[in-house]
Amino acid sequence: MAATPATLTARALLLDMDGTLVNSDAVVERCWRRWADRQGLDAEAVLKVVHGRQGYATMAVLLPDRPMAENHADNAVMLAEETADVDGVVPVAGAPAFMDAITRLPHALVTSADEALAQARMGAAGLRMPVTRVTAEQVGASKPDPEGFLKGAAELGIDPADCVAFEDSEAGIQAAKAAGMRVVGVGPRAAAQSPDLHVQDLTSLHVTSDPNGTITLSTAGA
């Protein structure tokens, strides 16, 4: 198996939140186990498909015959539960230093969370909220649809081909690739999705930039 490249270059960075910058697995598991119990579904099977998508889209996968209006109503309840519960929400290792390193570089948050949930989790993790962000309210389609990433690139004024996306989930990586972007896969879920570069967390990733606006991402030892 060929080794993934140790460096990537870009002109902008598009960042997923959950699993990429913020470890929210504890609260995600709590909320979705409760939902699975209410629906009479196997919680372990549910947890295999929740990451990366908006809640209504996950529900549509798990309950394909249920009216979408019910999924949206359930999703509103789920978002309120998740926003109120930040117990155990912590930064992914290396995320604080990484966010400091990219402060003056073009970057945007592209998350399946809505604005309230994004604020709650970034705040609980002690991470700076990017000025440019695409949250659930701003898109008509959930990841793995590329809409969010394309909108993020457009807001930054950067061609998608010149963007690198950071993602942890299958749905998120599919969305970034569909947008024509290269991908840094973060964490264990990303490893099987053939990202252009894979890191266990953000501690081993180094960020540099030159006066021409080229951002270089390199792993330890590169």
Side-chain angles (χ1 to χ4, degrees):
M1 182 176 177
T4 56
T7 63
L8 289 175
T9 59
R11 300 190 71 82
L13 309 177
L14 298 181
L15 315 171
D16 174 53
M17 181 180 70
D18 292 300
T20 302
L21 299 175
V22 172
N23 183 341
S24 56
D25 283 358
V27 61
V28 168
E29 182 168 325
R30 283 194 296 273
C31 290
W32 280 98
R33 282 186 182 279
R34 288 196 297 267
W35 182 85
D37 186 60
R38 292 195 294 267
Q39 302 301 323
L41 297 174
D42 177 67
E44 298 308 318
V46 167
L47 291 173
K48 289 179 180 177
V49 299
V50 300
H51 297 288
R53 296 178 177 86
Q54 291 189 42
Y56 75 85
T58 293
M59 294 168 190
V61 170
L62 293 165
L63 298 172
D65 296 326
R66 190 166 79 153
M68 189 58 77
E70 292 185 31
N71 295 334
H72 282 287
D74 255 11
N75 187 45
V77 174
M78 177 73 72
L79 284 169
E81 290 181 0
E82 289 185 304
T83 302
D85 183 358
V86 293
D87 186 29
V89 174
V90 296
V92 166
F98 172 76
M99 292 301 288
D100 287 345
I102 67 169
T103 298
R104 293 178 175 82
L105 303 178
H107 66 281
L109 191 73
V110 181
T111 176
S112 292
D114 66 3
E115 177 72 17
L117 181 56
Q119 291 282 0
R121 287 188 176 163
M122 291 290 279
L127 297 176
R128 171 183 60 80
M129 175 65 85
V131 173
T132 302
R133 51 190 180 268
V134 179
T135 56
E137 302 96 326
Q138 296 168 266
V139 297
S142 170
K143 299 172 184 177
D145 190 281
E147 181 186 357
F149 281 117
L150 292 172
K151 184 165 284 189
E155 290 195 17
L156 293 173
I158 304 294
D159 190 290
D162 291 326
C163 295
V164 166
F166 284 66
E167 269 287 358
D168 73 299
S169 70
E170 179 179 8
I173 290 173
Q174 288 176 351
K177 288 182 175 181
M181 298 175 184
R182 289 152 297 138
V183 181
V184 173
V186 180
R189 285 189 290 266
Q193 305 304 321
S194 301
D196 297 279
L197 188 153
H198 179 257
V199 293
Q200 290 301 323
D201 54 42
L202 297 171
T203 58
S204 62
L205 196 68
H206 301 285
V207 183
T208 58
S209 61
D210 67 22
N212 296 320
T214 298
I215 302 166
T216 300
L217 307 167
S218 60
T219 55

